[in-house]
Amino acid sequence: MITKFKLFLLVLTFQIGYSQEDNDGIIDNINKIEEAPIFPGCEKKKGTKIINCFQEKIQEHIQSNLKFPKEAVEKKQGGRVYAVFIIEKDGSVTIDKIRGPYKHLEEETIRIIKLLPKMTPGRDKNENVRVRFSIPITFDYWTKKNPLD
């Protein structure tokens, strides 16, 4: 059974791009805007604590929603998937890019990102702005015996 294996999920530190805004009007550096996007449950935080809370909530979301793909278990596959998503002006989340070593790991990452809740959008100059985020998700598992036994 797949349920016999243990899953280790490592969400590395949140990575934020360097340019302030690209051609699509998307902000890549949240340090350059007045108000960072806010993950539900982080509304009462201030300053950099909002970003820390955001990171913690993203990690919790991924850990609680991830289902290690059966095909990956059967083939003993793991790896790092890079997910780039945008928090839109209305707080919804759209996927920008997903890149990983195996299609089934990419598909699971897409499924998890699509489950992200609507957020309070980032703001700059009294307007909501689109903000891009990038996170690597490492899929790995270990077990003392075959996880499919």
Side-chain angles (χ1 to χ4, degrees), residues 54-73:
F54 189 102
Q55 291 175 312
E56 290 170 15
K57 294 290 187 179
I58 289 284
Q59 289 178 357
E60 288 172 13
H61 172 82
I62 293 168
Q63 289 172 343
S64 65
N65 287 289
L66 187 132
K67 296 176 183 170
F68 208 94
K70 182 178 179 181
E71 185 176 354
V73 173

Side-chain angles (χ1 to χ4, degrees), residues 76-140:
K76 298 179 182 177
Q77 296 173 332
R80 186 171 292 160
V81 178
Y82 295 90
V84 181
F85 60 93
I86 299 165
I87 300 174
E88 300 290 348
K89 291 180 179 184
D90 66 355
S92 64
V93 177
T94 57
I95 296 171
D96 189 18
K97 296 175 192 165
I98 302 289
R99 185 176 44 111
Y102 303 103
K103 185 171 178 61
H104 43 274
L105 298 182
E106 290 179 343
E107 289 169 349
E108 177 60 9
T109 300
I110 290 168
R111 187 187 71 77
I112 293 167
I113 298 299
K114 285 183 175 180
L115 291 174
L116 282 168
K118 192 168 186 173
M119 302 185 203
T120 302
R123 293 187 54 82
D124 195 42
K125 299 176 186 158
N126 293 322
E127 291 185 18
N128 290 357
V129 292
R130 300 173 76 203
V131 182
R132 179 182 288 126
F133 291 95
S134 173
I135 56 170
I137 301 172
T138 300
F139 289 81
D140 196 6

Side-chain angles (χ1 to χ4, degrees), residues 135-148:
I135 56 170
I137 301 172
T138 300
F139 289 81
D140 196 6
Y141 71 93
W142 69 96
T143 181
K144 293 184 179 176
K145 60 182 185 174
N146 184 342
L148 296 178

